[in-house]
């Protein structure tokens, strides 16, 4: 009987610790879920930013390519203009390079 009383006394002393363990476990679970949510959102945000950057870079490269094609074509046509037998007048030249 004495051992049963001793066990009951020990259990009574440990009971307040049980509440602390539950609180600590709830805190640990909450902290883990918060960390998982943080890293997941951060990863998704980085992917979103990278996609936006690549999309913008592709648009700018296409615009640059388009804006350089016409002047480059004009430069390529100049030798044909000057290789003709007649001298090139200002009007002829402006007709090739003008707007």
């Amino acid at each position: 009987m004495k051992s049963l009383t001793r066990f009951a006394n020990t259990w009574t002393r440990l009971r307040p610790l049980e509440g602390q363990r539950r609180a600590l476990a709830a805190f640990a679970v909450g902290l883990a879920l918060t960390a998982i949510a943080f890293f997941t959102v951060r990863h998704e945000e980085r992917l979103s930013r990278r996609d936006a950057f690549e999309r913008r870079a592709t648009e700018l490269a296409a615009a640059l390519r388009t804006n350089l094609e016409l002047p480059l074509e004009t430069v390529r046509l100049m030798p044909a203009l000057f290789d003709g037998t007649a001298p090139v007048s200002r009007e002829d030249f402006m007709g090739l390079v003008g707007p």
Side-chain angles (χ1 to χ4, degrees):
M1 184 77 156
K2 193 169 192 162
S3 64
L4 186 60
T5 307
R6 184 185 232 180
F7 178 75
N9 286 341
T10 304
W11 180 254
T12 308
R13 276 186 275 143
L14 292 178
R15 242 187 180 157
L17 294 178
E18 184 178 326
Q20 290 176 352
R21 283 188 209 142
R22 286 183 183 170
L24 186 58
F27 175 75
V29 168
L31 184 63
L33 291 175
T34 301
I36 290 169
F38 169 76
F39 288 111
T40 301
V41 169
R42 184 176 74 166
H43 177 70
E44 293 298 322
E45 184 66 26
R46 283 184 176 175
L47 289 177
S48 174
R49 285 183 187 171
R50 185 182 327 153
D51 289 344
F53 174 79
E54 288 176 2
R55 207 170 28 256
R56 182 71 178 141
T58 301
E59 291 171 2
L60 289 174
L64 179 63
R65 191 175 304 115
T66 300
N67 288 333
L68 289 178
E69 282 177 358
L70 183 60
L72 187 59
E73 188 62 32
T74 303
V75 169
R76 287 183 184 147
L77 289 175
M78 279 186 180
L81 177 66
F82 287 105
D83 284 343
T85 56
V88 177
S89 68
R90 280 183 183 237
E91 292 79 24
D92 292 336
F93 185 76
M94 289 305 290
L96 178 67
V97 297

